[in-house]
Amino acid sequence: MKNIFSLIAVLFLFSSCGSQNNVVDVKAETTVVSTSISKTGERPKLVVGIVVDQMRYDYLTRFDDKFGEGGFKRMIGEGFNCKNNHFNYVPTYTGPGHASVYTGTTPKYHGIVGNNFYDKEIKEMVYCAQDDNVKPIGTEDKAGLMSPNRMQTTTFGDENRLFTQMRGKTIGVSLKDRGAILPAGHTANAAYWFHGKDEGSWITSSFYMDMLPQWVTEFNSSTSAESYLKEWNTLYDISTYTESGSDENNFEGGFKGKEKATFPYDLKVLSKDNRGFDILKATPYGNSLTTDFAMAAIKGENLGADNITDVLAVSFSATDYVGHNFGVNSKEIEDTYIRLDKDLERFFNYLDATVGKGEYTVFLTADHGAVDVPAYLQSVNVPAGYIDNKDRKEKFNAFLIKTYGTKDIVENISNNQIFLDREKIKTLGLNLIDVQNAIAMEQLTYKNVSKVYTANAMSSTSFSTGVEELLQNGFNQKRSGDVILVNDTAFISYGRTGSTHGSALNYDTHVPLLFFGKGIKHGETFNKTIIPDIAPTMSALLGISFPNGATGQPLGFLID
């Protein structure tokens, strides 16, 4: 009898496991799913990663009535919408954001701790994609001196290249160099970025190749970039743009040569005072140009043409430039997203026609969000404001001289971090941890400083909640500072017009995460997901190794 009960128990266990293999209960968010390749056993021919620079999550819902059926709504309608997706680290900047999306980890491990950051070894500020050991290709400008050399871990594109014995291609495309280079990874076939000024060309570096492919040369020789130097007016009647503030206000920057930041904008005329072709970056046409080039890359590189998975990383940067210039609540940002939705529809239709509907997989997210213009928030009685850096600097210098007799123990202040001169501290016979603590306590007394933490605290204490956890996930012992500052909510070091980002607050961390295409289930979740989950999810879908530093987890509930 005992043996019979044991047999029944075993059979029940196997039955339960089998019945749960592909169950998704979106409401309960309880899921047990295999995280291997799709049920057909076939990998997608092409994986397209889309990063929309500075896209807050609420842009999806705020502009929903203005979107068509083939762009954002197609992704939501056919795919999976992670509605509570966040960055789990600070700083929320472009370089760290793109690196984190594709490596599946945070600056603590991949090493991209800022767009520009202080290098403690050479004692200079460096750029995240800077590489003086390569040559520019497609231009003679130093804008081509770029590579992923400062990123310390692999991307899922790298792992796909390794898995396929380098037969699967990886291409990165973005107006910004860092938006193309960091997602493409170390083994990429190419990364291309847009060099404006008087050239208006897509360029790369000798890290990838010795000369531009013929298809890129032909694209640069076309009138594609020049065709967008035209009037920028609202796509629809401006009176219908009820999801944003008034067109004329005091919270927008605008362009040189135009008195008011109001529609319309004659880009051909304005380009003369706004760095030539660079003006396109701060208009929705920058995204259209990126779409044009991404489609040319698919054709030119034969991406998705066989059963060996290729990876195309596309970053739409114009949204960031528009946001910085005009702000979160502007008519310009609304029009930019309406037009981006049209570009996405055009892009997806092209994928359907070339790679084949149901043969590719796409994810879409952002590298960070943005704060509403603090001056606007103040006008509607929301606590916000601007940091007085001059006052802080004067008080801090006075403290250093009074306490230590010199200002020289501080090497650099950048990215809300203070870097100390370790050798100078030794020479003065001071204890490093004591100095860190003293400076932290001093900074905490300054106006609009909310919290202060030391490098010693970041290295010796494990934080699991709040801003402290995000700071720790962004803290890299070799590259981060000795004292880390956190400003008051919605207080920024920036001009009084336009938006910026970088904090651990929801307006910067809450961004979209959409998946659709081959191997993706239809559904949605309010369960929290984090940016480092994306790369392991794509690796699981492809059945390849996770990026070597990945700390995120595959989102098994959305894999079919």
Side-chain angles (χ1 to χ4, degrees), residues 54-55 59 67 319 333-341:
Q54 202 188 115
M55 185 176 183
Y59 288 164
F67 293 150
T319 43
I333 205 73
E334 178 169 2
D335 191 66
T336 296
Y337 276 90
I338 291 171
R339 291 177 181 271
L340 174 59
D341 183 62

Side-chain angles (χ1 to χ4, degrees), residues 96 98-112 148-159 162 181-187 476 479 535 546-551:
H98 282 79
S100 298
V101 168
Y102 284 84
T103 64
T105 191
T106 68
K108 180 178 181 178
Y109 298 105
H110 62 60
I112 304 299
N149 72 102
R150 286 192 165 87
M151 187 167 66
Q152 297 175 322
T153 58
T154 63
T155 65
F156 78 82
D158 286 326
E159 297 300 335
L162 294 170
I181 291 168
L182 300 175
H186 302 279
T187 64
N476 184 289
R479 296 182 175 182
F546 292 3
N548 58 19
T551 53

Side-chain angles (χ1 to χ4, degrees), residues 371-386 489-491 507:
V371 64
D372 259 299
V373 178
Y376 166 69
L377 293 177
Q378 289 174 332
S379 74
V380 292
N381 299 319
V382 175
Y386 299 89
T489 302
F491 275 77
Y507 50 71

Side-chain angles (χ1 to χ4, degrees), residues 221-299:
S221 299
S222 73
T223 59
S224 184
E226 189 175 356
S227 70
Y228 289 116
L229 289 176
K230 58 184 180 179
E231 183 181 83
W232 174 25
N233 207 342
T234 54
L235 184 63
Y236 305 126
D237 188 323
I238 197 169
S239 66
T240 67
Y241 282 33
T242 55
E243 296 79 15
S244 49
S246 60
D247 190 31
E248 184 175 348
N249 57 70
N250 297 321
F251 314 121
E252 301 174 8
F255 296 114
K256 292 179 181 178
K258 193 174 191 300
E259 185 178 349
K260 295 180 179 180
T262 55
F263 284 105
Y265 299 94
D266 187 333
L267 301 182
K268 192 174 182 73
V269 172
L270 292 172
S271 66
K272 298 173 184 178
D273 295 323
N274 293 272
R275 295 169 54 89
F277 283 103
D278 278 335
I279 196 172
L280 294 177
K281 297 177 180 180
T283 77
Y285 299 137
N287 290 333
S288 299
L289 180 62
T290 302
T291 305
D292 295 342
F293 190 78
M295 294 191 299
I298 292 170
K299 181 180 179 181

Side-chain angles (χ1 to χ4, degrees), residues 74-146:
R74 178 178 175 185
M75 293 197 75
I76 294 170
E78 296 181 15
F80 206 98
N81 184 2
C82 298
K83 296 184 172 183
N84 189 21
N85 182 62
H86 289 262
F87 280 86
N88 66 331
Y89 67 84
V90 287
T92 41
Y93 297 144
T94 298
H98 282 79
S100 298
V101 168
Y102 284 84
T103 64
T105 191
T106 68
K108 180 178 181 178
Y109 298 105
H110 62 60
I112 304 299
V113 295
N115 293 334
N116 298 277
F117 53 91
Y118 185 65
D119 188 315
K120 294 190 281 190
E121 293 186 12
I122 64 175
K123 299 187 184 303
E124 292 179 5
M125 290 295 293
V126 296
Y127 177 60
C128 64
Q130 175 187 341
D131 189 346
D132 295 335
N133 295 316
V134 301
K135 297 178 181 179
I137 303 296
T139 182
E140 294 183 359
D141 195 276
K142 63 180 181 180
L145 299 178
M146 304 290 166

